[in-house]
Each structure stands twice: as structure tokens, then as C-alpha cells.
């Protein structure tokens, strides 16, 4: 055999050896590094309904005074809700399964309830104390004492007061009611000690002090109210109810007994109902209610009902809510002079108080009934409580309660009229239009209902009622009450940003009583925290405004931001941010100059699953550009065309940055993420309306938006579904009578017959449904007798024969907003016409489905309905006729 000669191979020189060494080293390094990297890149999973239970909702709760600690909750549908306390520096964290009502005591303590057990955690040492059978608790303002109310007999409470070293300093049994002052420095309570009824006051300082206000051996005290240095309460005796007022500064107790006063209305008594007392801030006036004895406006259930067309109040409303002229009357008592004045009457039974509670505004809410507005117009009178004199303030003014607001110091009343803000000066009775010459609109420019446009807002006054702050579309304006000076404080219009004040303290968010329509009070030199919103991108951020400097960015705009909380004693703050693709995240900053720190990102398991994305899209209708929110299917591929669900209501593009947990527990059966992870596009178009044609407007916008997505080559035009609930359900039904564009549809709790709806009484408010058509959502803008043709052509039921789309409808049998009979009517029409239609009636549900079993049932059926018609999935048995 011939020898085989190998090709000649030149020996490598030194340079070749070096090159080969580094080449092999690089290959070795790449292989070694790539193996774990490849192991890390796992194929993401397809989300299934079994995975939904992993998702939670993040709720920011509290931040401690100096910002060392933050509490937040994660809430689950099928798992245990959990309250967390986390240190803002480092990773220290405490967990409270089923915890609620969490409160920090300075930087050292945190307390919360786990069912009826109080859990007290020392945040420094980590030690924990438990107290069972607790109804409520709170720390006093200086943090030295913990007050715990234990459940006692007959609904009463036992109060245990301990210092923070666990020493019991006071035990008070049989408490029937209690109130703390706004500062948290003292508490007043009513209790029973062996048949002796007491009202007592406890003050908290370095030590605890207690004093008795009044004692009685026969009758209990109740209905406490505590404001500043004044306490008021009632005592219901055998023949009358007495009124008491205690001045905590002078230690003087005043008493008013109606039986000792000839000017008290005959056959009446003082009401002892909860919340019936109100105190002026200076403590000089106590407002209370007078109830007529034997005032029973409800007739016998078996007696004949008398419905009179000249009645100002519908019989059904009168039956449920009582006859308005006979409601309890408001009165005021001056404890020092021991005299009273009745404020409201049968002729004008409703009232509100001015800022310093020295004047009352009264009106008759039924004055212009019958009419078509939800809130009837009213003539408003102003009463000087010092002498009882009255005069007309506003004639036939809007019934919207927020159109009349009080300055905090009581000097002025602001109100809206003909698209402007007006100021009434109480001292001289003058009316001034303060916005007429400014040149911008202070009422919603995008108002899209026939009713009166809503004002952007009057947020408050500077000290001593010097100037008033009002909003336009973008900015905050400061205007003097005589209208001679107006300045724009922010520069949102140039930046296309809407600036709004974020209240940081409770007193700037909540009224003292139902009679209180005061706006906020601001120091003219104080900083204002502002929320900045860019409608073009649906993003939110935060600014701080200072006089002479203007607004300055604190948190840049990006995605959706909310739940801003600032500390009381530092510059630290937290907020929550999210997008559709990024789960809600809690972010902390020690101040605006430092880098944000993520404290917790909810739903970290999302990274293991395929997930969609969202974007804003534009579409055109009659030359106008309108927006929609578009959601892409998970694991989207450009070369593929997908089915799509179009969900309609009104304007919805602002939801584009909302994170949506996948869930089968939906009140309307629709969930964006469920569908995107099942391989659908989801489209939420904005809809612009032409008055008199709500259905046609919805049809034009919905089809235009749908065509825009089809023309982009994203979806299969033969596999598009339509869904809506309530007004969206009405729109869905109407659209199906005008087009066969949609392969399947779902309509929930829908109006189907506008004529019968117009002539019905809404069970939610027991008012005629006229207002929904003439000034609200259904947008006809005229009465039935003024424009019959609009009611007829916009009624889906009258065009039901045109429907070719398979329709699944649902309703709650106890729906008080839209009667389920509307769905029954449509079902009968489609049944007669032999159309493909299924109707689900949930017997114990209202307008939205709240029972979790029913939520799951509805959500799954809607998914199966669209799965069958849009994705050719297997038909479910429940869809077939003649099931048992």
C-alpha cells in the first residue's frame, strides 16, 4: 500500500502561538459565560387563568413623620391580603398578614389591626405586643399614649390607655360614644358607671389628666361633637331632648332645655340622631336639628297611593326619602345667651352655612319641580343669624351644590353664572364678576353633554380671604374678590400641562359637616404641591410652586403617577408609578434632588409571562382627530394578523397607562390583560358626540377607530368583537343595528328602548329619567315631546331586525340604574326576529356584578363567547339552545 503523505504544515512561529492562545481563550470564555446566560434566558410562559391568582394590587398607605418608614398593602383575590412596613434605607421589612388601619407613632412604633387583634410593633427592636378584642385605637398627638377601645357589652366599648412602656394609666368601661379633638391632644367620651352617666374629658401632655363635664343618674348622653375648645352633646329624656355645650377654656357648661323656652317650636323636639350637631369654629354657636313629633310621612302600606301630576315630589321618592318640606329643621343655639333661632322651614327646608357660620343660605330643592334636571334650580336666600333677617341671594340658580362655595373666613360667597366666577361680598351685598375680563375659559372646554358645563374648580382662598384661587384648563389663577387684579400663578398652558393642587393635610380635604361648603385656606407664601398632567401623552408628574419662583419639577412626567405622600417633618416623599407594561411601583425620595429609590415593585412574576403593550393612536372623524388606547397582544409578531376586541363607553384613552391585573373577578366581565394574553388586540376608542344622536355618534367613532387599526395591518377584519357595559352596552346594541362589521358582541346592563326609559323612574335616585336624556349621558338634549324623532331613531329595539351579529347580553335582576327589563325587551325582540342572541340574568346582582362566583362566571362566559366566534375555539354547551 502506498504511503499517504500529509500536506506540508509550517511550524507556527511565536506570533502565531500568541494569536492562537488568545483565540482559544476567547472561545473558552464565551462558552463558559454563554452557558449560564442561556440558562437565564428562559422562554416566557403563556398566561393562563390558573396564574391569575399570583397577581396583587399595591396600595400605598402611610409614611412616617421623618420618612424612615413606609407602609403599603398588597391585596389579592384568592390569597391573604398583607400589610407591609418597610424601612426607606436598607431592606428591613415587617409583615402583617391580614393587617389593616396601620398607623406610625413617630419613627419607633407601628400599630395595626389583624381582624380584632391590635398588633403593636417596635420598629427599632422588632418586639411585638398583641391585644385581642379591639374595635379601634389611636395614638395621641405627642405619641406618649396608646388608646385602645375594646368591644364591651351591648355594643359599648372599654377604653384602655397605656404609655409606650406598656404601663396602664387609665381604664374606662361602658363607653357609648367618643370624639377626639382635631389635634389629638384630648378626647371626650360618654360612659355609664353603675347607672351613673358621665361625660368626661381626658387631656394628654407629659402626663394624663381627666376631668368630669357632667354627671346624671337617670339618662345617658350621646351625639358628641368636638371642635377646637368646644364640646357639644345631647341627652334624650322622657319628655324632651336637651342640648349641652362645654367651653373647655372657661370650663363653663351650658344647657338648653326646649321645655323651658316659649320660642321653641310646638310639637317638636331636638333630634338626637348621629351627626345632627355642628359647631362653629369659635364655639359660640351650636347648630342642631328640630324634629316634628309624630312626623310620619309614610302612609300605610295597604292604603291607596295618590300620584298627583301637580306634586313637586314623586310619590315613590316621598315614600322612600320622606316628604322634603317635613324633613328635620336646622336651628342654631347661642349657649352664652341661651337663645335659639330656627333657620330652615317647610318653605325652604335645605341649608348651608357660610365660612364663619354667621350666615346661612336656605333654599327649596323642589321649587321648580317638575322639571328635567337631576338637580332642580333653586332660589337661594341668605339669613343673618345674628338677627334673623333674610334676603334673596340668587334666583333660579343651578342645583349643582358645588356651584356655590364659601370663603374660609366668611367674608365672601363664590358662585358660577353664565360661564364666569362671581363673588358676593356679604358685608355690603355686592355681586362681582371676577373672570369676565381675563380672556380664558374657567369651565370645561371639552364638555360633551347637553347639561351645564362644569367649572374647572375653585380650590380656596389665601389668608383672611384676601384672594381666591381658581383653575382654568391648565393653570391656577389668583384673583382679588373685587376682580381688579388677576394673575396666573403657573405656566401650564405654554407647556400643555394641567396643574392641580395636591392636598397634603386632612383639613384641606374634608369638610367639618354636611353644612360646610368652605373651600380650603392657604398661606399666600406657602409652597404648593402640584400634580402635572400631560393629556397628549397621558403622563403625570409632580411640581412644587413657590411665589416669585413659579413651578419647579419634583418628579418628572412619565407614565401614570399617583398616591403622593409627603412627610410631616422632612422633605422626604413617596409616590406610586405605573404603565400598562410596568406593574405599580412604590418610589421613595429623601428630597427632590436625590435619585429615586424603588421600595417595592408589585407583581414581579410578570417577567415570567408574555405581556402586551399599550399605545395612544389617533383616528379621524369628519376632519377631527380623536384618540384611542390600543393594547397589543402578548408575544406580538408583525407578520401575523390578530383578532381584536373593541370596548366602548365614552372617553377612555386616559386609561392607556393603567396597569391591569389579569383576573376573572370582574364586575363587568371584561379585562384588558385577559384578552391581550389570550392573543387579542384590545381597542378603547374615545367617542365624540353630536347632541340628539348618541347612537350614531358612537357608531361613527367606533367604526372609524376600528378601521384605523385594520388599515394598519394589525388585525383580521373578520375577527373583531364589540363589547360595552351600561351606556357602553346601549352603544353596542345600537351599533349592531347599523353594521355587520363585528363578528360577535357582548352587551351588559344596556338601555335598549329610549322611549320607555325616558318615561320611567330610576330606582337609584327615584327621579324621572328625563335628566339622563336632556342634560346627561344619553345626550338627546331635548324632551321627548320636543324631539320625538331622536328618541325613536336612537332606540336599538326599533331597529333590531337589522342585527346579524351574534349577541351575548347580561343584566342584574336587581339593577337599580338600568332596569333588567330593558334587556328582556331586547331579548324578546331578537327572539321574535329569530336572531342569534343569549341573555344572562344574574338574580341577586345590581348594575355591576359583585358576587365573586358570578363575576367569574360572567368573565369566563364572555371569554368563551369571543373565543368561539373570533378564534374558532370549541363551542361551549351553554351556548346551545334547549339546554335543561
Amino acid at each position: 500500500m502506498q504511503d499517504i503523505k500529509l500536506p506540508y504544515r509550517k511550524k507556527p512561529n511565536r506570533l502565531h502561538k500568541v494569536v492562537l492562545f488568545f483565540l482559544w481563550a476567547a472561545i473558552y470564555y464565551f462558552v463558559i459565560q454563554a452557558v449560564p446566560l442561556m440558562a437565564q434566558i428562559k422562554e416566557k410562559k403563556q398566561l393562563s387563568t390558573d396564574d391569575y391568582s399570583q397577581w396583587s394590587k399595591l396600595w400605598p398607605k402611610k409614611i412616617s413623620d421623618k420618612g424612615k418608614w413606609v407602609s403599603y398593602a398588597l391585596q389579592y383575590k384568592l390569597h391573604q391580603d398583607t400589610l407591609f412596613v418597610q424601612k426607606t434605607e436598607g431592606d428591613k421589612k415587617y409583615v402583617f398578614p391580614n393587617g389593616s388601619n396601620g398607623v406610625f407613632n413617630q419613627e419607633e412604633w407601628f400599630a395595626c389591626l389583624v381582624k380584632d387583634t391590635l398588633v403593636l410593633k417596635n420598629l427599632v427592636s422588632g418586639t411585638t405586643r398583641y391585644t385581642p378584642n379591639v374595635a379601634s385605637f389611636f395614638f395621641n398627638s405627642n405619641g406618649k399614649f396608646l388608646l385602645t377601645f375594646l368591644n364591651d357589652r351591648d355594643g359599648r366599648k372599654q377604653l384602655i390607655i397605656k404609655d409606650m412602656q406598656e404601663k396602664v394609666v387609665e381604664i374606662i368601661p361602658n363607653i357609648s360614644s367618643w370624639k377626639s379633638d382635631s389635634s389629638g391632644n384630648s378626647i371626650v367620651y360618654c360612659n355609664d358607671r353603675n347607672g351613673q352617666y358621665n361625660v368626661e374629658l381626658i387631656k394628654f401632655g407629659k402626663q394624663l389628666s381627666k376631668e368630669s363635664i357632667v354627671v346624671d343618674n337617670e339618662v345617658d348622653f350621646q351625639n358628641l361633637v368636638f371642635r377646637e375648645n368646644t364640646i357639644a352633646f345631647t341627652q334624650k329624656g322622657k319628655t324632651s331632648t336637651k342640648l349641652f355645650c362645654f367651653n373647655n377654656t372657661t370650663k363653663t357648661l351650658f344647657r338648653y332645655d326646649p321645655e323651658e323656652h316659649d320660642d321653641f317650636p310646638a310639637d317638636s323636639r331636638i333630634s338626637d340622631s348621629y351627626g345632627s350637631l355642628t359647631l362653629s369654629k369659635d364655639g359660640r354657636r351650636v347648630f342642631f336639628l328640630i324634629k316634628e313629633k309624630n312626623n310620619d310621612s309614610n302612609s300605610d302600606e295597604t292604603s291607596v297611593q295618590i300620584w298627583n301630576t301637580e306634586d313637586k315630589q314623586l310619590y315613590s321618592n316621598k315614600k322612600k326619602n320622606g316628604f322634603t318640606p317635613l324633613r328635620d329643621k336646622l336651628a342654631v343655639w347661642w349657649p352664652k345667651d341661651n337663645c335659639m333661632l330656627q333657620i330652615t322651614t317647610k318653605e325652604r327646608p335645605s341649608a348651608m352655612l357660610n365660612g364663619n357660620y354667621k350666615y346661612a343660605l336656605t333654599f327649596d330643592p323642589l321649587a321648580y319641580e317638575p322639571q328635567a334636571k337631576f338637580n332642580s334650580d333653586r332660589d337661594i336666600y341668605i339669613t343673618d343669624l345674628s338677627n334673623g333677617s333674610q334676603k334673596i341671594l340668587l334666583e333660579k340658580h343651578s342645583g349643582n351644590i358645588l356651584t356655590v362655595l364659601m370663603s374660609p373666613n366668611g367674608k365672601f360667597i363664590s358662585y358660577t353664572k353664565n360661564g364666569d366666577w362671581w363673588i358676593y361680598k356679604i358685608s355690603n351685598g355686592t355681586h362681582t364678576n371676577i373672570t369676565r375680563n381675563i380672556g380664558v375659559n374657567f369651565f370645561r372646554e371639552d364638555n360633551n353633554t347637553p347639561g351645564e358645563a362644569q367649572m374647572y374648580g375653585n380650590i380656596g382662598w389665601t389668608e383672611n380671604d384676601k384672594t381666591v384661587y381658581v383653575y382654568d384648563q391648565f393653570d391656577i389663577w389668583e384673583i382679588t374678590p373685587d376682580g381688579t387684579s388677576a394673575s396666573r400663578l403657573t405656566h401650564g398652558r405654554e407647556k400643555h400641562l394641567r396643574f392641580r393642587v395636591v392636598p397634603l393635610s386632612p383639613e384641606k380635604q374634608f369638610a367639618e359637616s354636611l353644612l360646610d361648603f368652605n373651600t380650603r385656606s392657604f398661606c399666600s407664601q406657602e409652597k404648593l404641591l402640584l400634580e402635572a398632567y400631560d393629556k397628549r401623552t397621558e403622563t403625570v408628574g409632580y411640581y412644587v410652586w413657590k411665589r416669585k419662583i413659579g413651578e419647579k419639577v419634583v418628579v418628572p412626567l412619565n407614565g401614570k403617577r399617583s398616591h403622593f405622600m409627603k412627610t410631616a417633618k422632612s422633605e422626604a416623599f413617596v409616590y406610586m408609578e405605573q404603565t400598562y407594561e410596568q406593574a405599580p411601583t412604590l418610589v421613595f425620595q429623601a428630597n427632590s434632588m436625590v435619585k429615586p429609590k424603588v421600595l417595592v415593585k408589585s407583581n414581579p412574576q410578570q417577567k415570567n409571562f408574555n405581556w402586551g403593550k399599550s399605545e395612544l393612536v389617533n383616528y379621524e372623524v369628519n376632519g377631527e382627530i380623536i384618540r384611542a388606547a390600543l393594547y397589543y397582544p402578548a408575544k406580538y409578531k408583525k407578520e401575523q394578523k390578530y383578532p381584536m376586541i373593541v370596548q366602548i363607553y365614552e372617553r377612555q384613552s386616559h386609561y392607556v397607562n393603567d396597569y391591569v391585573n389579569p383576573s376573572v373577578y370582574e364586575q363587568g366581565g371584561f379585562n384588558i390583560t385577559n384578552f391581550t394574553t389570550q392573543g387579542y388586540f384590545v381597542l378603547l376608542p374615545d367617542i365624540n358626540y353630536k347632541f340628539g344622536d348618541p347612537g350614531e355618534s358612537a357608531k361613527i367613532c367606533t367604526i372609524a377607530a376600528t378601521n384605523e387599526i385594520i388599515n394598519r395591518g394589525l388585525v383580521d377584519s373578520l375577527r373583531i368583537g364589540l363589547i360595552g357595559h351600561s351606556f357602553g352596552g346601549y352603544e353596542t346594541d345600537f351599533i349592531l343595528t347599523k353594521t355587520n362589521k363585528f363578528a360577535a358582541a357582548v352587551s351588559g346592563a344596556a338601555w335598549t328602548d329610549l322611549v320607555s326609559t325616558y318615561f320611567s323612574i330610576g330606582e337609584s335616585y327615584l327621579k324621572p329619567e328625563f335628566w339622563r336624556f336632556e342634560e346627561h349621558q344619553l345626550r338627546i338634549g331635548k324632551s321627548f315631546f320636543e324631539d320625538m324623532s331622536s328618541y325613536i331613531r336612537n332606540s336599538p329595539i326599533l331597529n333590531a331586525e337589522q342585527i346579524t351579529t351574534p349577541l351575548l347580553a347580561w343584566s342584574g335582576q336587581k339593577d337599580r340604574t338600568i332596569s333588567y327589563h330593558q334587556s328582556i325587551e331586547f331579548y324578546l325582540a331578537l327572539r321574535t326576529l329569530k336572531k342569534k342572541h343569549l341573555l344572562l340574568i344574574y338574580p341577586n346582582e345590581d348594575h355591576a356584578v359583585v358576587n365573586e362566583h358570578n363575576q367569574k362566571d360572567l368573565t369566563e362566559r364572555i371569554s368563551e363567547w369571543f373565543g368561539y366566534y373570533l378564534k374558532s375555539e370549541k363551542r361551549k354547551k351553554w351556548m346551545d339552545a334547549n339546554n335543561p
Side-chain angles (χ1 to χ4, degrees):
M1 178 180 288
Q2 186 177 6
D3 291 338
I4 299 175
K5 293 183 179 180
L6 294 175
Y8 171 76
R9 183 179 294 173
K10 186 177 180 180
K11 290 185 178 180
N13 59 27
R14 182 178 179 85
L15 178 61
H16 289 158
K17 290 181 178 179
V18 172
V19 171
L20 286 171
F21 171 80
F22 280 106
L23 179 61
W24 282 108
I27 294 173
Y28 175 81
Y29 178 81
F30 174 78
V31 172
I32 294 299
Q33 295 297 316
V35 169
L37 182 63
M38 292 172 66
Q40 291 176 23
I41 304 174
K42 296 180 180 179
E43 182 71 21
K44 291 190 176 183
K45 295 186 291 185
Q46 176 69 27
L47 191 67
S48 70
T49 54
D50 293 336
D51 302 311
Y52 293 177
S53 62
Q54 298 178 44
W55 263 257
S56 65
K57 289 188 176 181
L58 173 64
W59 295 102
K61 294 296 184 179
K62 302 281 186 182
I63 185 168
S64 61
D65 284 351
K66 295 182 180 179
K68 292 183 179 179
W69 298 90
V70 169
S71 66
Y72 58 90
L74 293 178
Q75 295 181 349
Y76 297 85
K77 269 296 182 183
L78 298 181
H79 302 299
Q80 189 170 244
D81 293 347
T82 305
L83 183 64
F84 296 85
V85 172
Q86 184 167 329
K87 199 169 186 179
T88 54
E89 293 183 6
D91 299 318
K92 195 172 186 179
K93 183 188 298 183
Y94 296 108
V95 182
F96 304 87
N98 281 326
S100 63
N101 301 322
V103 178
F104 289 105
N105 183 9
Q106 301 178 16
E107 308 300 308
E108 186 178 358
W109 298 93
F110 181 80
C112 68
L113 287 175
V114 177
K115 295 184 179 178
D116 66 348
T117 296
L118 175 66
V119 181
L120 180 64
K121 173 73 72 172
N122 187 306
L123 299 174
V124 178
S125 67
T127 57
T128 309
R129 305 174 191 168
Y130 300 94
T131 305
N133 198 34
V134 174
S136 60
F137 71 94
F138 75 97
F139 297 102
N140 77 303
S141 59
N142 64 18
K144 293 185 179 295
F145 300 99
L146 172 62
L147 286 74
T148 305
F149 293 87
L150 305 183
N151 292 307
D152 207 342
R153 59 180 178 83
D154 301 325
R156 292 174 179 257
K157 305 292 185 284
Q158 180 186 60
L159 171 59
I160 299 178
I161 304 176
K162 297 180 181 180
D163 64 20
M164 299 314 298
Q165 286 71 48
E166 193 71 0
K167 178 183 176 183
V168 176
V169 294
E170 192 74 36
I171 298 178
I172 303 158
N174 297 332
I175 290 179
S176 59
S177 60
W178 63 275
K179 289 282 184 182
S180 65
D181 69 342
S182 58
S183 68
N185 289 322
S186 51
I187 179 175
V188 62
Y189 55 86
C190 303
N191 82 316
D192 171 13
R193 289 181 177 169
N194 300 320
Q196 186 179 72
Y197 302 101
N198 308 272
V199 177
E200 295 177 327
L201 177 68
I202 292 179
K203 293 182 178 180
F204 306 104
K206 291 184 179 180
Q207 303 295 325
L208 180 148
S209 64
K210 184 173 69 171
E211 61 183 284
S212 176
I213 294 176
V214 64
V215 179
D216 191 282
N217 293 321
E218 295 183 1
V219 183
D220 196 3
F221 301 94
Q222 62 275 319
N223 204 19
L224 286 165
V225 60
F226 195 172
R227 188 172 188 183
E228 301 296 328
N229 289 312
T230 308
I231 300 165
F233 49 93
T234 60
Q235 183 187 39
K236 186 178 180 180
K238 294 179 180 179
T239 58
S240 68
T241 298
K242 300 179 181 65
L243 191 58
F244 292 83
C245 181
F246 179 73
N247 187 305
N248 194 27
T249 303
T250 64
K251 306 301 179 185
T252 308
L253 179 67
F254 302 96
R255 187 192 73 158
Y256 183 86
D257 186 346
E259 294 184 340
E260 298 174 359
H261 294 263
D262 295 335
D263 59 345
F264 193 84
D267 298 321
S268 300
R269 63 178 177 84
I270 294 174
S271 172
D272 58 351
S273 60
Y274 177 79
S276 61
L277 298 185
T278 300
L279 282 166
S280 63
K281 191 172 182 179
D282 61 11
R284 296 180 181 180
R285 292 167 296 283
V286 180
F287 295 86
F288 64 98
L289 296 178
I290 297 174
K291 182 181 291 293
E292 293 185 26
K293 294 179 180 177
N294 303 317
N295 177 15
D296 184 9
S297 59
N298 293 323
S299 59
D300 191 312
E301 292 289 341
T302 61
S303 62
V304 63
Q305 299 180 9
I306 302 176
W307 295 61
N308 192 322
T309 58
E310 295 181 356
D311 283 343
K312 289 183 175 293
Q313 188 175 4
L314 281 179
Y315 179 90
S316 54
N317 189 296
K318 191 188 311 180
K319 182 75 176 175
K320 181 177 181 180
N321 300 319
F323 188 36
T324 298
L326 297 182
R327 67 172 52 160
D328 293 352
K329 306 303 183 292
L330 180 67
V332 59
W333 170 47
W334 287 266
K336 189 174 181 180
D337 301 320
N338 203 22
C339 61
M340 62 82 67
L341 172 71
Q342 182 175 324
I343 299 172
T344 58
T345 62
K346 289 182 178 180
E347 292 70 32
R348 291 196 293 276
S350 298
M352 57 180 71
L353 299 173
N354 82 315
N356 57 16
Y357 288 19
K358 292 182 178 180
Y359 290 83
L361 276 59
T362 60
F363 57 93
D364 178 10
L366 303 178
Y368 291 95
E369 293 287 356
Q371 49 80 54
K373 296 181 178 180
F374 181 77
N375 293 301
S376 175
D377 292 341
R378 51 195 169 145
D379 297 328
I380 302 177
Y381 291 77
I382 184 168
T383 302
D384 184 342
L385 299 183
S386 65
N387 56 31
S389 62
Q390 300 180 358
K391 61 180 178 180
I392 188 74
L393 174 66
L394 298 168
E395 292 186 76
K396 204 172 184 182
H397 187 71
S398 167
N400 180 349
I401 204 74
L402 295 178
T403 60
V404 179
L405 299 168
M406 315 300 168
S407 66
N409 276 34
K411 296 180 180 180
F412 305 99
I413 299 171
S414 63
Y415 63 92
T416 62
K417 179 182 176 183
N418 298 330
D420 280 302
W421 278 105
W422 292 68
I423 298 293
Y424 176 77
K425 188 175 182 179
I426 295 177
S427 61
N428 61 14
T430 58
H431 297 259
T432 304
N433 185 331
I434 64 169
T435 58
R436 176 175 51 193
N437 298 319
I438 294 178
V440 299
N441 199 334
F442 291 89
F443 287 70
R444 288 195 58 170
E445 297 164 65
D446 61 349
N447 181 55
N448 202 218
T449 59
E452 61 183 296
Q454 300 298 306
M455 60 291 223
Y456 286 116
N458 164 354
I459 57 170
W461 294 68
T462 55
E463 63 270 26
N464 201 31
D465 293 352
K466 184 178 179 181
T467 56
V468 61
Y469 290 159
V470 296
Y471 292 137
D472 73 6
Q473 182 181 0
F474 296 100
D475 292 304
I476 305 169
W477 288 77
E478 182 178 27
I479 309 174
T480 55
D482 61 4
T484 58
S485 175
S487 59
R488 187 162 60 107
L489 302 182
T490 55
H491 303 85
R493 190 170 291 272
E494 297 88 335
K495 304 171 184 176
H496 295 281
L497 297 181
R498 183 191 69 190
F499 286 114
R500 296 295 184 258
V501 174
V502 179
L504 294 177
S505 55
E507 63 270 17
K508 290 187 178 180
Q509 299 181 64
F510 305 110
E512 291 285 344
S513 79
L514 295 176
L515 302 169
D516 190 344
F517 288 85
N518 295 350
T519 49
R520 307 170 198 161
S521 180
F522 298 92
C523 172
S524 58
Q525 300 304 315
E526 76 174 293
K527 295 187 294 185
L528 298 178
L529 174 69
L530 307 178
E531 178 190 87
Y533 162 69
D534 189 337
K535 186 176 182 179
R536 298 169 300 174
T537 57
E538 295 296 342
T539 54
V540 175
Y542 294 100
Y543 284 62
V544 166
W545 175 88
K546 295 181 183 178
R547 196 173 292 275
K548 296 183 180 179
I549 297 177
E551 65 271 11
K552 182 180 178 182
V553 176
V554 174
V555 179
L557 282 80
N558 183 27
K560 180 177 180 179
R561 291 194 163 105
S562 61
H563 295 82
F564 189 101
M565 295 186 291
K566 187 184 177 302
T567 60
K569 298 179 180 180
S570 78
E571 293 301 312
F573 56 88
V574 295
Y575 57 90
M576 189 168 75
E577 63 182 15
Q578 64 182 298
T579 66
Y580 178 68
E581 297 154 66
Q582 175 191 299
T585 301
L586 189 61
V587 180
F588 170 79
Q589 287 186 236
N591 58 65
S592 60
M593 305 301 292
V594 302
K595 185 178 179 181
K597 175 184 178 181
V598 172
L599 294 180
V600 60
K601 183 173 182 178
S602 66
N603 302 307
Q605 74 282 353
Q606 179 192 322
K607 67 179 182 296
N608 300 322
F609 297 92
N610 295 315
W611 201 264
K613 66 176 183 176
S614 67
E615 67 179 21
L616 288 169
V617 298
N618 294 329
Y619 67 98
E620 185 177 337
V621 173
N622 298 326
E624 183 177 0
I625 300 300
I626 308 176
R627 299 195 310 175
L630 179 66
Y631 301 83
Y632 282 69
K635 210 174 180 179
Y636 166 70
K637 296 178 181 179
K638 287 185 178 180
E639 64 275 11
Q640 185 176 336
K641 288 190 177 183
Y642 292 84
M644 181 169 72
I645 306 293
V646 182
Q647 197 264 353
I648 56 175
Y649 191 68
E650 294 189 2
R651 293 172 181 168
Q652 303 182 99
S653 60
H654 56 277
Y655 294 129
V656 70
N657 281 318
D658 285 14
Y659 186 82
V660 181
N661 286 3
S663 176
V664 293
Y665 301 101
E666 295 293 340
Q667 293 188 351
F670 171 77
N671 181 287
I672 292 170
T673 300
N674 290 8
F675 284 115
T676 59
T677 54
Q678 291 169 17
Y680 294 89
F681 271 91
V682 175
L683 180 67
L684 275 60
D686 288 350
I687 296 175
N688 285 357
Y689 296 94
K690 176 184 175 183
F691 300 158
D693 276 312
E696 188 68 17
S697 300
K699 184 205 80 172
I700 292 172
C701 292
T702 301
I703 291 177
T706 303
N707 285 338
E708 173 65 28
I709 308 306
I710 293 172
N711 293 338
R712 293 187 180 197
L714 300 175
V715 302
D716 182 344
S717 62
L718 299 179
R719 296 191 294 153
I720 299 176
L722 182 65
I723 186 172
H725 170 234
S726 189
F727 182 58
Y730 156 74
E731 293 174 314
T732 297
D733 288 344
F734 180 89
I735 291 171
L736 298 186
T737 68
K738 300 296 181 178
T739 181
N740 61 358
K741 189 174 195 68
F742 300 97
V746 176
S747 170
W751 288 294
T752 61
D753 183 347
L754 301 196
V755 178
S756 65
T757 299
Y758 184 84
F759 292 107
S760 64
I761 298 172
E763 291 187 37
S764 290
Y765 308 107
L766 292 179
K767 290 176 176 286
E769 294 284 64
F770 307 154
W771 63 279
R772 295 190 188 275
F773 296 85
E774 297 188 37
E775 66 167 7
H776 204 253
Q777 196 171 44
L778 283 163
R779 295 177 170 87
I780 300 297
K782 295 179 181 179
S783 75
F784 174 78
F785 297 104
E786 292 174 307
D787 189 4
M788 290 185 187
S789 61
S790 289
Y791 287 82
I792 293 170
R793 71 172 176 267
N794 283 283
S795 291
I797 198 168
L798 300 180
N799 294 290
E801 73 278 4
Q802 303 299 325
I803 293 180
T804 60
T805 305
L807 173 64
L808 173 66
W810 64 269
S811 182
Q813 195 170 8
K814 293 187 177 180
D815 193 336
R816 299 185 310 126
T817 302
I818 300 176
S819 172
Y820 83 103
H821 288 290
Q822 287 283 304
S823 296
I824 293 290
E825 287 183 30
F826 208 53
Y827 163 82
L828 292 175
L830 296 180
R831 186 174 188 270
T832 299
L833 294 166
K834 295 180 172 54
K835 304 292 184 178
K836 291 182 180 179
H837 175 48
L838 274 74
L839 174 61
L840 310 174
I841 299 291
Y842 291 91
N844 295 309
E845 298 291 357
D846 202 319
H847 193 55
V849 177
V850 296
N851 177 275
E852 289 189 353
H853 172 79
N854 292 337
Q855 288 179 344
K856 186 173 186 290
D857 181 82
L858 176 60
T859 304
E860 289 177 345
R861 289 183 193 273
I862 290 174
S863 177
E864 291 167 356
W865 182 261
F866 283 131
Y868 173 71
Y869 283 103
L870 305 186
K871 296 173 69 179
S872 300
E873 292 177 355
K874 185 177 179 180
R875 183 180 179 90
K876 300 298 180 180
K877 187 176 180 180
W878 63 269
M879 300 179 191
D880 295 332
N882 303 314
N883 276 320

